[in-house]
Amino acid sequence: MFKQQRVVIENMTPQLHCGAFFIKRVVGESVEVKTDVLGDGHDVIQAELQFKHEKDKNFSAQRMSPLVNDAYTASFTVEKQGYYFYRISAWVDHALNWQHGIEAKIKDGQHVKSELLDGVQYLNYIVKKVKGTEKSYVEGLISDFGNEKTYDSAIKEAVSEKLHHLFLKYPQRILSNFSEELSVYVDRKKASFSTWYEFFPRSSSPEPNKHGTFKDCERLLERIMDMGFDTIYFPPIHPIGEVNRKGRNNVVQAKEGDSGVPWAIGSHLGGHKSIHPELGTEEDFGRLVKKANKLGMEIALDLAFQAAPDHPYISTNPEWFRKRPDGTMQYAENPPKKYQDIVNFYFESPAYKELWKELLDVTLHWIGFGVKIFRVDNPHTKPYYFWNWLITEVKKKHPDVLFLAEAFSRPRVMQQLAKQGFSQSYTYFTWRVHKHEIIDYMVELTQSEMREYYRPNFWPNTPDINPYHLQGSNDAMHIIRYALAATLSGNIGIYGPVFEYMVTEALPGKEEYLDCEKYEVRNWDWSKENKLTHVITKLNQARKDHPALQQTNNIRFCHIENDRLMAFYKWNDSRDDQVLVIISLDPYYSQQGMVQLPLAEMGIHQGHEMTMHDLVTDSGYLWYDEWNYVELHPALPFHLFQINL
Amino acid sequence: MFKQQRVVIENMTPQLHCGAFFIKRVVGESVEVKTDVLGDGHDVIQAELQFKHEKDKNFSAQRMSPLVNDAYTASFTVEKQGYYFYRISAWVDHALNWQHGIEAKIKDGQHVKSELLDGVQYLNYIVKKVKGTEKSYVEGLISDFGNEKTYDSAIKEAVSEKLHHLFLKYPQRILSNFSEELSVYVDRKKASFSTWYEFFPRSSSPEPNKHGTFKDCERLLERIMDMGFDTIYFPPIHPIGEVNRKGRNNVVQAKEGDSGVPWAIGSHLGGHKSIHPELGTEEDFGRLVKKANKLGMEIALDLAFQAAPDHPYISTNPEWFRKRPDGTMQYAENPPKKYQDIVNFYFESPAYKELWKELLDVTLHWIGFGVKIFRVDNPHTKPYYFWNWLITEVKKKHPDVLFLAEAFSRPRVMQQLAKQGFSQSYTYFTWRVHKHEIIDYMVELTQSEMREYYRPNFWPNTPDINPYHLQGSNDAMHIIRYALAATLSGNIGIYGPVFEYMVTEALPGKEEYLDCEKYEVRNWDWSKENKLTHVITKLNQARKDHPALQQTNNIRFCHIENDRLMAFYKWNDSRDDQVLVIISLDPYYSQQGMVQLPLAEMGIHQGHEMTMHDLVTDSGYLWYDEWNYVELHPALPFHLFQINL
């Protein structure tokens, strides 16, 4: 193939799997693009980053700066939600090359009459593009370059900054080459900064042994808002299957009166588009959503795409389920385990398109109530391409809608869901306890390719996971886990009352809660507040006030000479907000250590005065040195310092 | 887009820039393919590597083995020259999944009547594919699986290895997915194993002060063959420009009688398709090529695509050159330097297609004489895509033809030429002297992506490069440099007589030879032999005898506790040939050290008897330990051990 271009463009980043997936950003973030650009020979090369929003007609452009080893870089900021496209264009810049050459020859003392004449062709190109003073300047040069009498001023102008800028401004892109076009999807800010509080609406009643309602939930909104949460997540709110219903503590047979598992969706009372009658009506739910929104919060719902054996779909759409040759229903199983209260959708069904459309319709149904955030249950047990389709379809009309992937699975599986479009993902943070584990994991999340597409959401606990380190633990441990989550990650969440009230009893030998709310209605004294409530509130407030804490990727761990102390520095892109976090991982004893500040990264030298303002205690310290002594006690096992320089 | 597949395939390697370039192999080598394959849920996945030669109708297949983290691997061997294509197919294997499930349930003591019935569908698929005993076996199972009376034998067969193998042999690829299709180009073996001897044919005369001829060259063939070289490379053999001809030692003006630079091609005597008359006739050249071939050697020619100012092209095809506005010729330059004896082709010419075709024609012209190897001069000063086109066009009809890229340029530039199609490339070996430099460079070449496309050719010297460490150096240093090249790299070469006779005088302060043959005819007493001749011969013989030395990538460096001693282990793919090389980098003093053998990689334990047979001295040592004492003296500063286990 005859391809006359002289410039090669390759190794463009960020790029996921040859452009098979978009990278992700939220409004206001920047995309820093790097690429290798090579020309043959010694000619001057120019590279340009071109980008546009999906609704823009034309690309905007940004000239790229050279780095080492034939690499170039430039960045652009995404201002609007939706897709942006970006690509590179590069060319041999003959005008700049000419200027570079004539400059070297003039310095070498050569006579450049012929070179000046040669330069006229580049001026002739520019003169058609310019107006006013620029035009008269260029016209003057054209005349001078061909005139022996003005040789001295001609060579002065030939190498001038002024001419250089004109060449940069009006490039003649001879044989320019283009990279592939890549895309970034831009979400609203909440995709990367959110603070979740999970509770079971059926446990919201102030009266013991009574099934909670949406109206009870309404009364809890202000309390949760006051603590600084912005997202309230409800497990499924639909009718619960009655066939093969499970009992308390996950026993196989429910007893009379057991309320069942909200994830076993569907009964004669309705399916995925219905509300469990004991919770209230559609009107109640609509009012709750509106009231939460008014208070600056959102209600997140659960998308659990599976059915109880008595779900209406099973009779209305039997083609969406798999029957065995003997006619029995194929329940969910992971042999030898059987989950007889659950029937999975049969995604290999010939009627899969209708199934997909119905599941989309379920999602749109709740969007109709104003719900814009979904926590998706076990997405990794449904096909990856289905999620890609569903999320894409929803976002076409509802770009505000966000999806959190609840997959506690293998690394590649969790990554794949994020690539296919999930806005946020659960993480292994729940089990990362030791300093080196936490640092390794954060480095993976923030310095590998994952930073481009995987938005972590850090949860110390969930209704499914009562991790060993929380079982029987004290308030210091709870503070440590919340402080870690709140400062390490832009997105965080807790399974609320159980965490806040430090209910840590487990099924023996398992990371599961005793008397777990998944299997029964609980009652909480929501009027209670404790030290944890206070610390959570302070941390959430700090997160609201500090852009450095509203993102995940800008983090550097600091040396601190104690394996039970962790320290890290975070900042926002403009670096007008900088924080230093120091956390003790020891819930029982005081820990001391010397922390090393990354002065070079902070842009200061040893001796510079730093006011370290603790955002939880409001106390302050004056530091001047690279190494600083810190001591933390389990009573308040962390510092969250705002750094004032 | 509705995409029902349940399996995702990604991160397939080896892969260059999303398949933009082929990877490279030589006949008999293998391609080890890795990929990530993910299914949703817990179902059993199967992945298959599919590959075919460009002339094959159908793909061959190889089931892949699982590694950690959802990765799979398999490999295939390339048997023929030309392109091979490879891709992955993967699917949820319902039959294997069924077997896996029923096995777990049986172990758990469950009754599996319904599961057996379920399994019949997989048997029904297979029964159509099989014949003879396989058929009667499957028919028996179909009957047993549905029959309560044969339940015991049915569950025994359901989990049997026999059935497992049938499922593997006759997979039902429901909703199987495919990766992209990638390609590998397979060259003849010489692409990765060659031993070059460069000399100027004009310096081949046995009589002093006489211009050498192809007939003189014929008389040297046996000598070079006896030393073990297989490729004789000539600088350009064409008429040399007379206009602006350069003089001895690169002075700008030649004196009367100066013979000029062979790379300044073209005069009234002819251009790129002509032979310099003093060298002989086309018949002479043809005979030389044939005689070399008969002796098992090849003649490699130089492709130097540039013209002297009096090249015939300049008048016949002025459109292929750039003139300045004042009508003067645009000579080659790198401002402020000017190369007035050289005019570059103007690759941006509107007539570029005709230019490309003519340069292809030049190449084909010499292929017509039986030349199958070209050393390409300064390829990085011509467009990358031009080379891709030219090499592709040549190989379509002449797959045996090989191209060595003479670009001593920046890393990305040298890599790009290799990606675009060059069969071999010069390297930075010429300047890598210290142990850590050599190891770092070898690791980059053999353990990065470069191993897939960059075939290094290690040259201790060239007519252009008389490196500082060789200037004024002794015979030990020459042995060290040759031994390093010969054992580290499959492809090697020397600028012959100057290296062999240790002519090391340089232009003061430069890495250039004094009285360099580029600018004048030299005479050598080709009857001379010395210690270096002997060692080179021994090393070349070892290379011919040992497949481990005929490739570059299978190398592991060994710990050796002395910074002036290097040790490395090499092997061929089947590991029936293994060598250990120990080289002292000190040309003046003895060096001692303990070398650690990679016993695990060699597949043996401490205490195993190893006969270390030195291929140069023919002496032997018995080693039993992981750590072994070695001492090397400048008289013979290396061991090349064949390892016999």
Side-chain angles (χ1 to χ4, degrees), chain A residues 433-559:
Chain A
V433 183
H434 299 293
K435 178 174 174 176
H436 72 93
E437 291 175 338
I438 296 168
I439 293 177
D440 285 355
Y441 191 48
M442 286 304 297
V443 166
E444 184 186 346
L445 289 171
T446 64
Q447 288 177 43
S448 81
E449 197 177 70
M450 288 178 81
R451 64 179 282 133
E452 305 294 349
Y453 68 86
Y454 197 93
R455 295 200 193 97
N457 196 329
F458 277 16
W459 288 66
N461 72 329
T462 78
D464 289 304
I465 311 165
N466 179 10
Y468 290 124
H469 56 268
L470 282 184
Q471 294 179 18
S473 68
N474 62 6
D475 56 358
M477 182 52 114
H478 282 76
I479 292 173
I480 290 167
R481 295 305 294 172
Y482 194 81
L484 280 170
T487 55
L488 286 169
S489 180
N491 298 304
I492 63 169
I494 49 172
Y495 165 33
V498 154
F499 187 84
E500 199 187 335
Y501 298 137
M502 295 182 281
V503 177
T504 69
E505 292 87 347
L507 289 179
K510 294 195 171 180
E511 291 196 310
E512 289 172 27
Y513 284 103
L514 185 71
D515 303 332
C516 179
E517 282 186 278
K518 283 174 69 176
Y519 310 102
E520 60 188 277
V521 174
R522 296 281 293 265
N523 286 95
W524 308 103
D525 178 359
W526 297 93
S527 66
K528 270 200 308 182
E529 293 200 353
N530 57 17
K531 178 169 156 187
L532 198 52
T533 314
H534 174 73
V535 173
I536 288 173
T537 305
K538 281 286 193 180
L539 278 163
N540 288 351
Q541 188 61 48
R543 284 165 54 83
K544 284 192 177 168
D545 296 340
H546 288 274
L549 296 172
Q550 295 168 11
Q551 56 77 46
T552 308
N553 287 332
N554 294 346
I555 186 170
R556 289 293 172 275
F557 287 92
C558 307
H559 286 289

Side-chain angles (χ1 to χ4, degrees), chain B residues 142-346:
Chain B
I142 291 171
S143 153
D144 289 358
F145 278 21
N147 187 345
E148 286 266 27
K149 287 182 194 151
T150 52
Y151 180 80
D152 285 347
S153 84
I155 61 169
K156 199 176 137 217
E157 289 304 323
V159 301
S160 68
E161 272 297 301
K162 193 169 174 182
L163 183 56
H164 190 73
H165 282 298
L166 283 176
F167 285 152
L168 283 175
K169 197 167 163 187
Y170 304 104
Q172 192 175 2
R173 302 153 196 265
I174 294 167
L175 296 174
S176 66
N177 204 355
F178 288 89
S179 71
E180 60 279 26
E181 193 172 299
L182 300 175
S183 59
V184 48
Y185 186 80
V186 182
D187 276 305
R188 60 184 172 125
K189 168 123 191 206
K190 195 141 193 176
S192 67
F193 173 58
S194 60
T195 312
W196 297 47
Y197 192 93
E198 172 177 3
F199 75 91
F200 288 72
R202 70 183 181 182
S203 299
S204 62
S205 171
E207 288 174 52
N209 301 318
K210 204 176 157 204
H211 197 286
T213 66
F214 291 138
K215 283 186 181 145
D216 295 325
C217 294
E218 274 190 54
R219 280 187 289 271
L220 296 176
L221 290 179
E222 288 210 25
R223 179 183 188 283
I224 297 171
M225 176 192 72
D226 287 344
M227 287 178 74
F229 291 95
D230 55 41
T231 306
I232 295 172
Y233 152 51
F234 288 162
I237 59 172
H238 317 300
I240 296 171
E242 292 169 7
V243 174
N244 298 339
R245 175 178 284 191
K246 288 201 168 182
R248 292 167 183 239
N249 283 312
N250 201 16
V251 299
V252 176
Q253 281 302 330
K255 291 189 184 142
E256 182 70 29
D258 279 353
S259 23
V261 180
W263 285 272
I265 295 168
S267 74
H268 64 97
L269 296 168
H272 282 74
K273 293 177 190 164
S274 304
I275 287 175
H276 186 65
E278 290 184 79
L279 288 171
T281 64
E282 292 196 340
E283 290 66 39
D284 294 342
F285 181 67
R287 197 172 54 243
L288 177 67
V289 170
K290 282 207 184 71
K291 189 166 173 194
N293 291 350
K294 210 175 261 176
L295 296 174
M297 296 187 293
E298 295 185 49
I299 303 290
L301 285 192
D302 198 301
L303 287 182
F305 288 156
Q306 56 200 16
D310 42 338
H311 193 296
Y313 285 152
I314 288 178
S315 47
T316 61
N317 296 85
E319 70 278 13
W320 293 344
F321 301 91
R322 187 167 184 265
K323 286 221 163 126
R324 299 206 283 191
D326 62 0
T328 58
M329 179 63 66
Q330 176 75 60
Y331 297 109
E333 59 176 30
N334 185 10
K337 285 191 219 161
K338 296 179 180 183
Y339 307 101
Q340 282 155 326
D341 59 332
I342 296 289
V343 189
N344 285 326
F345 290 111
Y346 182 43

